[in-house]
Amino acid sequence: MVRDDQTYPSENEAGFAAWLAKPDMQGGLVIALLQPAKTQVYTLDFQWVKDECPTLAYLEESLAFVNGPGGLATTSVFDAFPFITEPISSERLSKEATDAYNTFLAMLEAKKPEVVFACWRVKGQDLFFSGKGLGRATQAESLELSNGHVVRVVNGFHPSYTANFCVNESCFRRLFTMELCKAFCELNTAWQEDKWMDILRRKCQERTRQLMEERGRDGEQLNREGGRVLRGSREDDSARKHKAYTKSFDNGLQRLKQTFDHMISPAYKSQSSWDLYAFFVFSQNTSEGICDALLAVSEAMKRFKPGTSMPDSSLVELSNHIGRQTLKFLKDDIPDLLQYPKGLYKNLWSSQFTTSTSQGLKWSMEKTTIRFIENLTNSFSESSKSWTYTPDLLHDAFKEIAISFEESLGKEYDNHRQTRAASVLNSVDTLSASLYTLSLSSSRDAGSARLAGNTTLARSSSSAICYNCDQPGHYSRNCTRPKKGSITPSRSSSNTTCYNCNEHGHYSRDCTSPKKRGECFRCGGVGHYANACSVR
């Protein structure tokens, strides 16, 4: 392929694209990104190239979390505009962009994947297909390629959104992981949409608008659908990034303070487990706050990573800020945390619940907060000049409360859902907290969170409520009643249009009319497809 500047992709560039496209077999899942970074450096060490790209590094972590070992080695990644490093215009595609897009379509035709996870889009372009944007589609759509192969398209958004531009926002990490789970489940037609998923999508859309307004006031711009960004090319943004982490950590501590204050209030004593769940998830958004704080602590841990001799000054300030604010939180915000001689602190928080007869979520919250305070106090020690903290212990304290908190909320959600199913109640109007643990994958140690994340995904149909007919005992995909209110075309051939004869009721592969001659996306001619076109 010749670019507009008359250059060709280098051998290493082409080799890396081929490496990302592996494994060399048809079927399976293809993750479609937008384009490579302009500053990407290519060598023969493809693992190094991948590790130096934050987007691909984050994508591999997400794949390992969702699909187990293997990561990018077992999942194909295509660029919708391979080898094109200049920004894709929203007005008119250049010749090189058109050629690149045709190459992408030809790759899909050759690969014949079962599912495409569309993590890209270009506004204003009438393309054969693209992603729809962050949280803008709930159902997988069927797409028939020009060779008659039908693929299911799951809408996603570019992972650079979480890896580069909104690194401190756990809600985007949860949404990306959820949509990636959906893409893998679609391989076996096993995905079941619940209303909490749309709530999460709308929440992320609203958060995107808020960030655009905030950064617009600060003279910044939020890249909503960028290409891959090379690690090291955004050094000027480190101060902004760590400032955002600082804000996230402070918000997380505020959520924790509200939790402790609520647990000694009269309202807490009279709340049922489900009322307490609603308080944490809907009223206070406690789960997201704790996960955001954990993301900030995980980032600060990079200061103490072996081999880091001269950490960025903004990273040093972030870690110092976390230490100061956590100590202040312990001294000023925890009820009944008393100071004794020689600077020691006695944790009397547990005395609040020594005679507690709480059950369910309340019992779990009491145990979780007691352990959290114990872990925090153990992470600090007093020297002759000041208080210091042990980074690993502080990180472990926040990680444990995040995981324990989500496990407890997840159990309460599952228990409530089973109760509703047994009572033949209608729709699920709640936001599952179980998938909040998926945001912990950013800490590069998500193994302990996997069980909590999977408890919600692996559901027995015996306790399920059909989203289509609101009856228990089966999922909507197995429902025999007419589908309600869906704007997504059914996979049934009765609702499809034949690509060959333009008639309804069958696919082109089953068409009995004379086969239509191919139409080339490259030159506009007929009689051949882009992958066989002589125009280069």
Side-chain angles (χ1 to χ4, degrees):
M1 191 187 93
V2 184
R3 299 187 178 104
D4 285 352
D5 60 3
Q6 300 305 306
T7 63
Y8 292 84
S10 68
E11 184 176 346
N12 289 340
E13 191 175 354
F16 184 65
W19 181 79
L20 284 178
K22 289 180 179 296
D24 297 328
M25 61 180 67
Q26 292 184 331
L29 171 70
V30 166
I31 298 176
L33 304 181
L34 181 63
Q35 64 184 129
K38 188 173 184 177
T39 51
Q40 187 90 44
V41 176
Y42 297 97
T43 71
L44 287 174
D45 187 349
F46 299 146
Q47 286 285 350
W48 178 88
V49 177
K50 179 264 297 179
D51 291 339
E52 285 299 301
C53 176
T55 299
L56 294 178
Y58 173 74
L59 182 58
E60 178 150 76
E61 289 179 5
S62 300
L63 286 169
F65 183 88
V66 172
N67 199 39
L72 291 175
T74 57
T75 304
S76 297
V77 176
F78 292 176
D79 281 326
F81 297 90
F83 310 122
I84 304 300
T85 58
E86 295 297 329
I88 306 301
S89 173
S90 60
E91 297 178 357
R92 182 180 180 181
L93 290 182
S94 64
K95 182 181 182 304
E96 68 174 4
T98 302
D99 289 346
Y101 185 68
N102 286 331
T103 300
F104 166 64
L105 294 178
M107 291 167 65
L108 288 179
E109 292 174 8
K111 178 73 174 178
K112 293 184 178 180
E114 298 172 69
V115 177
V116 172
F117 187 36
C119 298
W120 66 280
R121 69 167 178 161
V122 179
K123 289 184 178 180
Q125 292 291 349
D126 185 19
L127 300 172
F128 181 57
F129 90 99
S130 73
K132 300 184 182 301
L134 187 147
R136 295 186 179 277
T138 60
Q139 301 293 333
E141 296 182 349
S142 294
L143 176 73
E144 186 172 5
L145 302 177
S146 59
N147 61 356
H149 178 70
V150 178
V151 62
R152 295 192 295 281
V153 180
V154 174
N155 182 61
F157 58 96
H158 205 282
S160 65
Y161 208 86
T162 58
N164 299 299
F165 304 109
C166 301
V167 292
N168 61 305
E169 303 279 346
S170 62
C171 63
F172 297 118
R173 296 173 182 264
R174 290 193 296 275
L175 179 59
F176 183 83
T177 308
M178 185 195 80
E179 302 289 21
L180 183 59
C181 285
K182 178 178 179 179
F184 275 104
C185 285
E186 280 291 330
L187 289 172
N188 301 306
T189 63
W191 184 257
Q192 174 71 23
E193 279 285 325
D194 278 343
K195 290 187 177 180
W196 67 262
M197 300 175 187
D198 271 342
I199 295 175
L200 178 57
R201 293 182 181 109
R202 290 195 297 270
K203 176 182 179 59
C204 288
Q205 290 174 355
E206 177 60 28
R207 184 58 183 147
T208 297
R209 286 190 287 269
Q210 293 174 355
L211 289 172
M212 292 181 69
E213 292 175 359
E214 292 174 6
R215 296 185 180 182
R217 289 192 297 267
D218 295 336
E220 299 178 6
Q221 184 176 3
L222 180 66
N223 188 332
R224 302 183 70 176
E225 295 291 341
R228 296 198 293 271
V229 179
L230 181 67
R231 181 174 292 144
S233 66
R234 299 180 58 85
E235 293 178 357
D236 293 340
D237 292 337
S238 61
R240 176 193 61 80
K241 179 178 70 172
H242 293 133
K243 180 180 178 181
Y245 273 122
T246 298
K247 182 178 179 181
S248 294
F249 183 78
D250 290 346
N251 289 340
L253 281 189
Q254 181 63 28
R255 295 288 188 274
L256 283 168
K257 182 180 184 303
Q258 292 169 348
T259 298
F260 281 93
D261 289 343
H262 180 73
M263 290 178 68
I264 59 173
S265 69
Y268 173 80
K269 297 180 180 179
S270 61
Q271 277 182 316
S272 66
S273 286
W274 185 248
D275 288 338
L276 187 61
Y277 175 94
F279 174 82
F280 286 139
V281 175
F282 297 120
S283 177
Q284 299 299 317
N285 207 11
T286 309
S287 298
E288 184 173 325
I290 295 176
C291 287
D292 286 351
L294 175 58
L295 288 179
V297 176
S298 298
E299 177 68 16
M301 289 291 294
K302 294 179 181 179
R303 173 187 176 183
F304 309 101
K305 185 178 179 181
T308 304
S309 57
M310 292 292 291
D312 186 272
S313 60
S314 61
L315 179 61
V316 173
E317 175 55 32
L318 172 64
S319 64
N320 290 341
H321 176 84
I322 287 175
R324 290 193 301 268
Q325 294 304 111
T326 304
L327 184 59
K328 179 179 181 299
F329 174 74
L330 280 172
K331 288 183 175 181
D332 301 339
D333 297 333
I334 303 302
D336 293 330
L337 196 66
L338 303 181
Q339 186 172 13
Y340 279 74
K342 299 182 181 180
L344 298 178
Y345 279 81
K346 176 66 175 178
N347 178 14
L348 298 184
W349 172 253
S350 58
S351 65
Q352 297 279 347
F353 309 107
T354 52
T355 60
S356 174
T357 59
S358 299
Q359 298 179 348
L361 181 60
K362 280 189 174 182
W363 180 84
S364 298
M365 289 297 102
E366 291 163 8
K367 298 297 182 183
T368 295
T369 53
I370 289 172
R371 286 199 307 272
F372 178 60
I373 296 303
E374 290 175 349
N375 291 338
L376 277 190
T377 53
N378 289 335
S379 67
F380 281 88
S381 60
E382 188 178 25
S383 65
S384 59
K385 294 182 179 181
S386 63
W387 283 88
T388 60
Y389 72 93
T390 304
D392 289 341
L393 294 179
L394 186 68
H395 178 266
D396 290 346
F398 277 95
K399 182 176 179 180
E400 181 177 339
I401 190 174
I403 294 175
S404 298
F405 201 88
E406 304 313 330
E407 285 180 340
S408 299
L409 291 176
K411 289 178 182 178
E412 178 59 31
Y413 174 82
D414 290 340
N415 290 338
H416 184 73
R417 185 181 176 90
Q418 291 171 6
T419 301
R420 289 172 65 90
S423 304
V424 199
L425 294 178
N426 291 327
S427 59
V428 179
D429 298 324
T430 58
L431 172 64
S432 168
S434 298
L435 273 176
Y436 277 89
T437 50
L438 298 180
S439 64
L440 303 183
S441 60
S442 65
S443 67
R444 298 179 180 267
D445 187 14
S448 57
R450 182 169 298 160
L451 178 61
N454 286 344
T455 54
T456 297
L457 295 176
R459 294 187 297 270
S460 169
S461 61
S462 62
S463 62
I465 296 179
C466 175
Y467 184 78
N468 184 58
C469 68
D470 295 326
Q471 297 302 311
H474 65 278
Y475 296 123
S476 61
R477 65 176 180 272
N478 301 321
C479 188
T480 57
R481 299 191 181 186
K483 301 297 181 184
K484 67 176 183 180
S486 174
I487 60 174
T488 303
S490 169
R491 291 179 189 165
S492 170
S493 61
S494 62
N495 293 329
T496 195
T497 300
C498 174
Y499 181 81
N500 185 60
C501 67
N502 295 323
E503 296 295 332
H504 300 289
H506 63 278
Y507 295 117
S508 62
R509 63 174 179 266
D510 303 319
C511 186
T512 57
S513 300
K515 296 298 181 182
K516 183 174 68 174
R517 301 176 70 193
E519 180 176 344
C520 177
F521 287 95
R522 185 185 303 277
C523 68
V526 296
H528 64 278
Y529 295 115
N531 59 347
C533 185
S534 60
V535 178
R536 299 297 175 186

